[in-house]
């Protein structure tokens, strides 16, 4: 037996390994099983190139627990190690045997997982003592046992071992005894080792018999050594891809379709990416891509490997060329990562374009599920936008689909405004905005459905991309003004009529802390609605974006009340009737007050003109007092006029009915107001 010191630069290396080398202690099992797989793969390689002529036999990795002895053992029948190799690869920390082996056998080596030579030492995160019992495959080599208790000192002695390979025996410490539980180890093996290329065995399979679970004689193999992504696409069917998806995500619906990745230049990359049925919620669907390195699970946080929008996809990516730090849990910045990211983006875009060209009807049928994903990509990745604009679709309220170019040609003639801008009309809710959609369609306009989670941002993005174009929500104005053209309709109301009716309708609109109404008048056809509620496009978009972003720099807009316009049709017969009722009830009084206000306004203009060219101190106090008195009288008369017209409005059921009908068409009439509307409707009938 010999003793020695492990080749480290400081005696504090083990506490550092125990606490900081890996973010999760559970990683130790992945590392040790990966090393055992490496040893088995090396054995295959040596046999295939003729450097080992013995019986290869069954190559597998076995995990076993001895609860009484409090040990966890990982065993393999791989190449094993001699005493000299233990000195080289175990006692000299961070000298990677795997990397040296790959370099020597790079043309023949099976998948080799290890990169850093530190994986073995992760065992000291959970063990108070570790034994390596190993027998090299080399002729005449003697079996040896290496023992270390977590200090830089170790012992190495010759022992008897029946077969080649290595047993790693971990004497689990008190803090980590959960790793002696069968359920815990089963969970970790399924997480990290489910697709390793060498069989991984843990215990025996069980079956239910006579109402209880009993162990069978059949070994329990954890992994699929040839997972779907390692196989040739030509030998796979749709059922194979769907079954693999169900294995990965047992509770999910079937995916829309998939992309099989297989790249060997300028980097190695394999995998299968699935387009899931997205239910309009970005966050819930993220982080479903599993990243592997030579079939060893690394992480499902792949933001640094794939572009942000591709994190909505599900599936597997496997690449030995993605650089990892010692924990294999966090990705480093590297040129290969960007190349891989760009390639996946291109591959996804090309596959979508391919499907679109091959079967457009099928693509359209799947569009509602694809829309969020494609829109997200076009918003966040310029290169994806360039490709996707050829197959991205608009859907209109008739359920028809168009490419961007197709739709532009369809609406160009009828939806170009007087400033030669192309106007894209859209709705965010077909049901709630139905009356506005119908009004627009009656004028020969087409209306798009933009009701997706990201469509508010997407509309802004397209306005920047499309030349001389703008998007207008169908309820942002009356149909006659959605696409401004030369107006031929003239108003039948005088300025005084409009002034009075503004007070009449303003008295009834439901202004409050959460909403604010402005009364406006528009000359529309007699067949148009008598009153319509619209919401100004810019402010609505700002508020919606503020809500999506949780405030931030746009919080100013989020805190403002919703601003609406009650647009009154000046030419509608009901509005004319309300005007006639007003004239009969309070017309003389309103006219008299208006006449006095106009007279005082004339006086005020004279007083203001007299001040012109004078400094403040040059104006006589009498002049100032007279102006203040005129302003006071004008204010009092305006208040009086508003009160007179407001009282008329309150007593007039037609005014209330028109406003409530406008609110109702916008789904804004609820609760007590709706009850009153129903009762009033009955009374009017």
């Amino acid at each position: 037996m010999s003793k020695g010191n492990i080749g480290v630069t400081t005696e504090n290396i083990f506490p550092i390994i125990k606490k900081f080398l890996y973010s999760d202690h559970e990683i130790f099992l992945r590392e040790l099983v990966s090393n055992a797989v490496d040893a088995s793969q090396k054995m295959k390689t040596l046999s295939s190139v003729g450097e080992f002529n013995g019986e290869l036999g069954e190559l597998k990795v076995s995990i076993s627990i001895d609860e009484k002895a409090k040990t966890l053992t990982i065993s393999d029948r791989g190449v094993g190690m001699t005493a000299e190799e233990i000195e080289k690869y175990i006692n000299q920390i961070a000298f990677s045997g795997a990397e040296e082996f790959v370099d020597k056998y790079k043309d023949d080596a099976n998948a080799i997982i290890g990169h850093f030579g530190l994986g073995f030492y992760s065992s000291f995160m959970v063990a108070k003592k570790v034994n390596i019992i190993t027998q090299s495959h080399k002729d005449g080599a003697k079996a040896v046992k290496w023992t270390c208790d977590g200090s830089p000192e170790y012992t190495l002695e010759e022992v008897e071992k029946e077969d080649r390979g290595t047993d790693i025996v971990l004497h689990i410490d008190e803090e980590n005894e959960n790793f002696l539980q069968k359920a815990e180890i089963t969970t970790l093996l399924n997480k990290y080792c489910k697709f390793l290329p060498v069989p991984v065995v843990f215990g025996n399979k069980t079956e239910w018999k006579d109402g209880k679970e009993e162990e069978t004689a059949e070994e329990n193999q954890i992994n699929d050594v040839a997972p779907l992504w390692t196989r040739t696409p030509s030998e796979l069917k749709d059922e194979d891809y769907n079954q693999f998806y169900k294995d990965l995500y047992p509770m999910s619906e079937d995916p829309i379709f998939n992309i099989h990745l297989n790249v060997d230049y300028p980097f190695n990359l394999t995998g299968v990416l699935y387009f899931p049925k997205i239910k309009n919620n970005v966050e819930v669907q993220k982080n479903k891509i599993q990243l592997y390195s030579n079939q060893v699970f690394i992480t499902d946080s792949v933001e640094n490997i794939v572009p942000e929008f591709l994190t909505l996809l599900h599936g597997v990516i496997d690449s030995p060329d993605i650089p990892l730090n010692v924990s294999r849990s966090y990705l480093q910045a590297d040129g290969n990562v960007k190349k891989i990211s760009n390639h996946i983006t291109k591959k996804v875009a090309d596959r979508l374009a391919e499907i679109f060209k091959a079967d457009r009807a099928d693509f359209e049928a799947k569009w509602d599920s694809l829309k969020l994903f494609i829109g997200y990509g076009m918003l966040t990745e310029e290169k994806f936008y360039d490709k996707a604009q050829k197959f991205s679709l608009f859907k209109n309220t008739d359920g028809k689909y168009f490419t961007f170019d197709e739709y532009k040609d369809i609406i160009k003639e009828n939806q170009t405004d007087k400033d030669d801008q192309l106007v894209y009309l859209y709705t965010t809710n077909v049901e709630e905005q139905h009356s506005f959609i119908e009004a627009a369609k009656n004028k020969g306009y087409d209306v798009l459905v933009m009701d997706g989670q990201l469509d508010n941002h997407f509309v802004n993005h397209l306005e920047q991309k499309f030349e001389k174009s703008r998007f207008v929500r169908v309820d942002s104005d009356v149909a006659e003004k959605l696409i401004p053209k030369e107006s031929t309709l003239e108003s039948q109301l005088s300025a005084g009529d409009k002034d009075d009716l503004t007070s009449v309708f303003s008295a009834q609109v439901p202004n409050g802390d959460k909403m604010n109404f402005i009364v406006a008048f528009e000359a529309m056809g007699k067949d148009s609605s008598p009153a319509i509620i619209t919401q100004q496009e810019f402010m609505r978009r700002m508020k919606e974006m503020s809500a999506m972003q949780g405030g931030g720099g746009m919080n100013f807009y989020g805190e403002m009340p919703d601003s609406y316009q009650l647009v009154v049709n000046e030419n509608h017969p009901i509005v004319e009737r309300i005007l006639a009722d007003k004239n009969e009830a309070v017309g003389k009084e309103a006219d008299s007050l208006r006449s006095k206000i106009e007279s005082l306004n004339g006086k005020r203009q004279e007083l203001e003109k007299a001040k012109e060219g004078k400094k403040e101190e040059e104006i006589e106090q009498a002049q100032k007092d007279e102006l203040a008195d005129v302003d006071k009288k004008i204010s009092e008369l305006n208040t009086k006029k508003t009160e007179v017209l407001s009282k008329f409005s309150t007593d007039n059921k037609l005014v209330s009915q028109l406003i409530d009908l406008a609110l109702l068409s916008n789904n804004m009439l609820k609760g007590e107001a709706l009850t009153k509307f129903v009762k009033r409707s009955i009374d009017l009938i």
Side-chain angles (χ1 to χ4, degrees), residues 483-507:
I483 304 174
K485 298 182 179 181
E486 298 304 328
S487 177
T488 56
L489 289 174
E490 294 183 3
S491 173
Q492 297 180 9
L493 300 181
S494 67
D497 291 336
K498 290 181 185 180
D499 182 53
D500 283 355
L501 288 179
T502 298
S503 297
V504 168
F505 281 95
S506 294

PDB file of all heavy atoms in Angstrom, residues 483-507:
ATOM      1  N   ILE A 483     -60.629  56.122 -42.569  1.00  0.00           N
ATOM      2  CA  ILE A 483     -59.720  56.335 -43.692  1.00  0.00           C
ATOM      3  C   ILE A 483     -60.091  57.676 -44.315  1.00  0.00           C
ATOM      4  O   ILE A 483     -60.969  57.765 -45.189  1.00  0.00           O
ATOM      5  CB  ILE A 483     -59.848  55.194 -44.722  1.00  0.00           C
ATOM      6  CG1 ILE A 483     -59.592  53.842 -44.034  1.00  0.00           C
ATOM      7  CG2 ILE A 483     -58.884  55.400 -45.888  1.00  0.00           C
ATOM      8  CD1 ILE A 483     -59.818  52.640 -44.907  1.00  0.00           C
ATOM      9  N   PRO A 484     -59.496  58.763 -43.852  1.00  0.00           N
ATOM     10  CA  PRO A 484     -59.884  60.116 -44.275  1.00  0.00           C
ATOM     11  C   PRO A 484     -59.774  60.308 -45.792  1.00  0.00           C
ATOM     12  O   PRO A 484     -58.730  60.066 -46.388  1.00  0.00           O
ATOM     13  CB  PRO A 484     -58.891  61.025 -43.543  1.00  0.00           C
ATOM     14  CG  PRO A 484     -58.408  60.201 -42.388  1.00  0.00           C
ATOM     15  CD  PRO A 484     -58.396  58.797 -42.869  1.00  0.00           C
ATOM     16  N   LYS A 485     -60.881  60.702 -46.370  1.00  0.00           N
ATOM     17  CA  LYS A 485     -60.911  61.033 -47.790  1.00  0.00           C
ATOM     18  C   LYS A 485     -61.645  62.363 -47.930  1.00  0.00           C
ATOM     19  O   LYS A 485     -62.101  62.925 -46.942  1.00  0.00           O
ATOM     20  CB  LYS A 485     -61.600  59.918 -48.578  1.00  0.00           C
ATOM     21  CG  LYS A 485     -60.855  58.578 -48.469  1.00  0.00           C
ATOM     22  CD  LYS A 485     -61.504  57.476 -49.274  1.00  0.00           C
ATOM     23  CE  LYS A 485     -60.692  56.193 -49.146  1.00  0.00           C
ATOM     24  NZ  LYS A 485     -61.252  55.074 -49.922  1.00  0.00           N
ATOM     25  N   GLU A 486     -61.763  62.864 -49.101  1.00  0.00           N
ATOM     26  CA  GLU A 486     -62.448  64.145 -49.284  1.00  0.00           C
ATOM     27  C   GLU A 486     -63.916  63.985 -48.891  1.00  0.00           C
ATOM     28  O   GLU A 486     -64.652  63.191 -49.479  1.00  0.00           O
ATOM     29  CB  GLU A 486     -62.345  64.607 -50.745  1.00  0.00           C
ATOM     30  CG  GLU A 486     -60.924  64.859 -51.222  1.00  0.00           C
ATOM     31  CD  GLU A 486     -60.189  65.872 -50.351  1.00  0.00           C
ATOM     32  OE1 GLU A 486     -60.856  66.795 -49.818  1.00  0.00           O
ATOM     33  OE2 GLU A 486     -58.959  65.743 -50.196  1.00  0.00           O
ATOM     34  N   SER A 487     -64.351  64.758 -47.877  1.00  0.00           N
ATOM     35  CA  SER A 487     -65.719  64.613 -47.371  1.00  0.00           C
ATOM     36  C   SER A 487     -66.719  65.343 -48.268  1.00  0.00           C
ATOM     37  O   SER A 487     -66.472  66.441 -48.756  1.00  0.00           O
ATOM     38  CB  SER A 487     -65.805  65.168 -45.945  1.00  0.00           C
ATOM     39  OG  SER A 487     -67.126  65.092 -45.477  1.00  0.00           O
ATOM     40  N   THR A 488     -67.864  64.697 -48.492  1.00  0.00           N
ATOM     41  CA  THR A 488     -68.917  65.314 -49.302  1.00  0.00           C
ATOM     42  C   THR A 488     -70.135  65.654 -48.457  1.00  0.00           C
ATOM     43  O   THR A 488     -71.061  66.308 -48.925  1.00  0.00           O
ATOM     44  CB  THR A 488     -69.352  64.360 -50.430  1.00  0.00           C
ATOM     45  OG1 THR A 488     -69.759  63.107 -49.855  1.00  0.00           O
ATOM     46  CG2 THR A 488     -68.205  64.099 -51.393  1.00  0.00           C
ATOM     47  N   LEU A 489     -70.135  65.191 -47.194  1.00  0.00           N
ATOM     48  CA  LEU A 489     -71.277  65.443 -46.320  1.00  0.00           C
ATOM     49  C   LEU A 489     -71.114  66.768 -45.601  1.00  0.00           C
ATOM     50  O   LEU A 489     -70.024  67.099 -45.125  1.00  0.00           O
ATOM     51  CB  LEU A 489     -71.414  64.309 -45.296  1.00  0.00           C
ATOM     52  CG  LEU A 489     -71.891  62.952 -45.851  1.00  0.00           C
ATOM     53  CD1 LEU A 489     -71.838  61.900 -44.768  1.00  0.00           C
ATOM     54  CD2 LEU A 489     -73.304  63.081 -46.411  1.00  0.00           C
ATOM     55  N   GLU A 490     -72.194  67.523 -45.495  1.00  0.00           N
ATOM     56  CA  GLU A 490     -72.159  68.796 -44.780  1.00  0.00           C
ATOM     57  C   GLU A 490     -73.010  68.705 -43.530  1.00  0.00           C
ATOM     58  O   GLU A 490     -74.031  68.013 -43.492  1.00  0.00           O
ATOM     59  CB  GLU A 490     -72.683  69.928 -45.678  1.00  0.00           C
ATOM     60  CG  GLU A 490     -71.793  70.205 -46.872  1.00  0.00           C
ATOM     61  CD  GLU A 490     -72.309  71.379 -47.696  1.00  0.00           C
ATOM     62  OE1 GLU A 490     -73.326  71.989 -47.274  1.00  0.00           O
ATOM     63  OE2 GLU A 490     -71.714  71.680 -48.733  1.00  0.00           O
ATOM     64  N   SER A 491     -72.606  69.455 -42.516  1.00  0.00           N
ATOM     65  CA  SER A 491     -73.343  69.449 -41.260  1.00  0.00           C
ATOM     66  C   SER A 491     -74.624  70.268 -41.370  1.00  0.00           C
ATOM     67  O   SER A 491     -74.669  71.297 -42.047  1.00  0.00           O
ATOM     68  CB  SER A 491     -72.472  70.032 -40.144  1.00  0.00           C
ATOM     69  OG  SER A 491     -73.231  70.167 -38.958  1.00  0.00           O
ATOM     70  N   GLN A 492     -75.673  69.774 -40.703  1.00  0.00           N
ATOM     71  CA  GLN A 492     -76.940  70.502 -40.678  1.00  0.00           C
ATOM     72  C   GLN A 492     -77.096  71.312 -39.394  1.00  0.00           C
ATOM     73  O   GLN A 492     -78.148  71.913 -39.159  1.00  0.00           O
ATOM     74  CB  GLN A 492     -78.099  69.496 -40.811  1.00  0.00           C
ATOM     75  CG  GLN A 492     -78.100  68.746 -42.141  1.00  0.00           C
ATOM     76  CD  GLN A 492     -79.243  67.755 -42.266  1.00  0.00           C
ATOM     77  OE1 GLN A 492     -80.140  67.743 -41.423  1.00  0.00           O
ATOM     78  NE2 GLN A 492     -79.217  66.938 -43.307  1.00  0.00           N
ATOM     79  N   LEU A 493     -76.045  71.323 -38.562  1.00  0.00           N
ATOM     80  CA  LEU A 493     -76.121  72.034 -37.287  1.00  0.00           C
ATOM     81  C   LEU A 493     -75.307  73.317 -37.344  1.00  0.00           C
ATOM     82  O   LEU A 493     -74.236  73.365 -37.950  1.00  0.00           O
ATOM     83  CB  LEU A 493     -75.584  71.157 -36.146  1.00  0.00           C
ATOM     84  CG  LEU A 493     -76.301  69.821 -35.888  1.00  0.00           C
ATOM     85  CD1 LEU A 493     -75.645  69.104 -34.708  1.00  0.00           C
ATOM     86  CD2 LEU A 493     -77.780  70.038 -35.611  1.00  0.00           C
ATOM     87  N   SER A 494     -75.828  74.346 -36.693  1.00  0.00           N
ATOM     88  CA  SER A 494     -75.083  75.607 -36.565  1.00  0.00           C
ATOM     89  C   SER A 494     -74.081  75.463 -35.427  1.00  0.00           C
ATOM     90  O   SER A 494     -74.130  74.514 -34.643  1.00  0.00           O
ATOM     91  CB  SER A 494     -76.046  76.754 -36.266  1.00  0.00           C
ATOM     92  OG  SER A 494     -76.623  76.567 -34.966  1.00  0.00           O
ATOM     93  N   ALA A 495     -73.189  76.449 -35.307  1.00  0.00           N
ATOM     94  CA  ALA A 495     -72.214  76.438 -34.221  1.00  0.00           C
ATOM     95  C   ALA A 495     -72.923  76.489 -32.869  1.00  0.00           C
ATOM     96  O   ALA A 495     -72.506  75.828 -31.906  1.00  0.00           O
ATOM     97  CB  ALA A 495     -71.259  77.619 -34.369  1.00  0.00           C
ATOM     98  N   GLY A 496     -74.009  77.285 -32.774  1.00  0.00           N
ATOM     99  CA  GLY A 496     -74.765  77.381 -31.532  1.00  0.00           C
ATOM    100  C   GLY A 496     -75.434  76.065 -31.169  1.00  0.00           C
ATOM    101  O   GLY A 496     -75.475  75.670 -29.992  1.00  0.00           O
ATOM    102  N   ASP A 497     -75.969  75.373 -32.199  1.00  0.00           N
ATOM    103  CA  ASP A 497     -76.583  74.065 -31.961  1.00  0.00           C
ATOM    104  C   ASP A 497     -75.558  73.076 -31.379  1.00  0.00           C
ATOM    105  O   ASP A 497     -75.830  72.351 -30.416  1.00  0.00           O
ATOM    106  CB  ASP A 497     -77.141  73.489 -33.264  1.00  0.00           C
ATOM    107  CG  ASP A 497     -78.347  74.279 -33.772  1.00  0.00           C
ATOM    108  OD1 ASP A 497     -79.010  74.937 -32.943  1.00  0.00           O
ATOM    109  OD2 ASP A 497     -78.627  74.219 -34.981  1.00  0.00           O
ATOM    110  N   LYS A 498     -74.382  73.052 -31.996  1.00  0.00           N
ATOM    111  CA  LYS A 498     -73.337  72.139 -31.525  1.00  0.00           C
ATOM    112  C   LYS A 498     -72.929  72.472 -30.092  1.00  0.00           C
ATOM    113  O   LYS A 498     -72.706  71.580 -29.266  1.00  0.00           O
ATOM    114  CB  LYS A 498     -72.112  72.209 -32.440  1.00  0.00           C
ATOM    115  CG  LYS A 498     -72.324  71.622 -33.815  1.00  0.00           C
ATOM    116  CD  LYS A 498     -71.033  71.717 -34.631  1.00  0.00           C
ATOM    117  CE  LYS A 498     -71.246  71.236 -36.055  1.00  0.00           C
ATOM    118  NZ  LYS A 498     -70.014  71.323 -36.858  1.00  0.00           N
ATOM    119  N   ASP A 499     -72.838  73.771 -29.813  1.00  0.00           N
ATOM    120  CA  ASP A 499     -72.457  74.209 -28.468  1.00  0.00           C
ATOM    121  C   ASP A 499     -73.477  73.722 -27.436  1.00  0.00           C
ATOM    122  O   ASP A 499     -73.112  73.184 -26.383  1.00  0.00           O
ATOM    123  CB  ASP A 499     -72.341  75.730 -28.448  1.00  0.00           C
ATOM    124  CG  ASP A 499     -71.903  76.241 -27.082  1.00  0.00           C
ATOM    125  OD1 ASP A 499     -70.871  75.753 -26.567  1.00  0.00           O
ATOM    126  OD2 ASP A 499     -72.608  77.104 -26.525  1.00  0.00           O
ATOM    127  N   ASP A 500     -74.748  73.898 -27.750  1.00  0.00           N
ATOM    128  CA  ASP A 500     -75.793  73.467 -26.812  1.00  0.00           C
ATOM    129  C   ASP A 500     -75.815  71.945 -26.663  1.00  0.00           C
ATOM    130  O   ASP A 500     -75.910  71.413 -25.545  1.00  0.00           O
ATOM    131  CB  ASP A 500     -77.163  73.948 -27.291  1.00  0.00           C
ATOM    132  CG  ASP A 500     -77.377  75.442 -27.019  1.00  0.00           C
ATOM    133  OD1 ASP A 500     -76.495  76.043 -26.371  1.00  0.00           O
ATOM    134  OD2 ASP A 500     -78.406  75.990 -27.460  1.00  0.00           O
ATOM    135  N   LEU A 501     -75.728  71.235 -27.777  1.00  0.00           N
ATOM    136  CA  LEU A 501     -75.790  69.773 -27.717  1.00  0.00           C
ATOM    137  C   LEU A 501     -74.563  69.167 -27.029  1.00  0.00           C
ATOM    138  O   LEU A 501     -74.646  68.088 -26.433  1.00  0.00           O
ATOM    139  CB  LEU A 501     -75.944  69.185 -29.125  1.00  0.00           C
ATOM    140  CG  LEU A 501     -77.325  69.381 -29.773  1.00  0.00           C
ATOM    141  CD1 LEU A 501     -77.349  68.785 -31.171  1.00  0.00           C
ATOM    142  CD2 LEU A 501     -78.426  68.740 -28.920  1.00  0.00           C
ATOM    143  N   THR A 502     -73.448  69.876 -27.109  1.00  0.00           N
ATOM    144  CA  THR A 502     -72.265  69.411 -26.367  1.00  0.00           C
ATOM    145  C   THR A 502     -72.568  69.363 -24.877  1.00  0.00           C
ATOM    146  O   THR A 502     -72.255  68.387 -24.186  1.00  0.00           O
ATOM    147  CB  THR A 502     -71.050  70.332 -26.628  1.00  0.00           C
ATOM    148  OG1 THR A 502     -70.714  70.291 -28.010  1.00  0.00           O
ATOM    149  CG2 THR A 502     -69.845  69.908 -25.807  1.00  0.00           C
ATOM    150  N   SER A 503     -73.202  70.416 -24.362  1.00  0.00           N
ATOM    151  CA  SER A 503     -73.582  70.447 -22.939  1.00  0.00           C
ATOM    152  C   SER A 503     -74.637  69.385 -22.631  1.00  0.00           C
ATOM    153  O   SER A 503     -74.606  68.735 -21.581  1.00  0.00           O
ATOM    154  CB  SER A 503     -74.112  71.829 -22.556  1.00  0.00           C
ATOM    155  OG  SER A 503     -73.117  72.817 -22.705  1.00  0.00           O
ATOM    156  N   VAL A 504     -75.581  69.206 -23.572  1.00  0.00           N
ATOM    157  CA  VAL A 504     -76.658  68.226 -23.367  1.00  0.00           C
ATOM    158  C   VAL A 504     -76.081  66.813 -23.228  1.00  0.00           C
ATOM    159  O   VAL A 504     -76.409  66.074 -22.298  1.00  0.00           O
ATOM    160  CB  VAL A 504     -77.669  68.290 -24.536  1.00  0.00           C
ATOM    161  CG1 VAL A 504     -78.616  67.087 -24.487  1.00  0.00           C
ATOM    162  CG2 VAL A 504     -78.452  69.595 -24.491  1.00  0.00           C
ATOM    163  N   PHE A 505     -75.204  66.422 -24.149  1.00  0.00           N
ATOM    164  CA  PHE A 505     -74.658  65.057 -24.110  1.00  0.00           C
ATOM    165  C   PHE A 505     -73.584  64.899 -23.021  1.00  0.00           C
ATOM    166  O   PHE A 505     -73.464  63.837 -22.419  1.00  0.00           O
ATOM    167  CB  PHE A 505     -74.087  64.676 -25.481  1.00  0.00           C
ATOM    168  CG  PHE A 505     -75.141  64.272 -26.476  1.00  0.00           C
ATOM    169  CD1 PHE A 505     -75.658  65.191 -27.375  1.00  0.00           C
ATOM    170  CD2 PHE A 505     -75.641  62.975 -26.490  1.00  0.00           C
ATOM    171  CE1 PHE A 505     -76.644  64.834 -28.287  1.00  0.00           C
ATOM    172  CE2 PHE A 505     -76.633  62.606 -27.400  1.00  0.00           C
ATOM    173  CZ  PHE A 505     -77.133  63.528 -28.298  1.00  0.00           C
ATOM    174  N   SER A 506     -72.824  65.958 -22.773  1.00  0.00           N
ATOM    175  CA  SER A 506     -71.786  65.882 -21.731  1.00  0.00           C
ATOM    176  C   SER A 506     -72.393  65.616 -20.360  1.00  0.00           C
ATOM    177  O   SER A 506     -71.756  65.007 -19.492  1.00  0.00           O
ATOM    178  CB  SER A 506     -70.973  67.182 -21.689  1.00  0.00           C
ATOM    179  OG  SER A 506     -70.241  67.358 -22.876  1.00  0.00           O
ATOM    180  N   ALA A 507     -73.628  66.094 -20.157  1.00  0.00           N
ATOM    181  CA  ALA A 507     -74.272  65.919 -18.857  1.00  0.00           C
ATOM    182  C   ALA A 507     -74.586  64.455 -18.563  1.00  0.00           C
ATOM    183  O   ALA A 507     -74.755  64.070 -17.403  1.00  0.00           O
ATOM    184  CB  ALA A 507     -75.556  66.746 -18.797  1.00  0.00           C
TER     185      ALA A 507
END
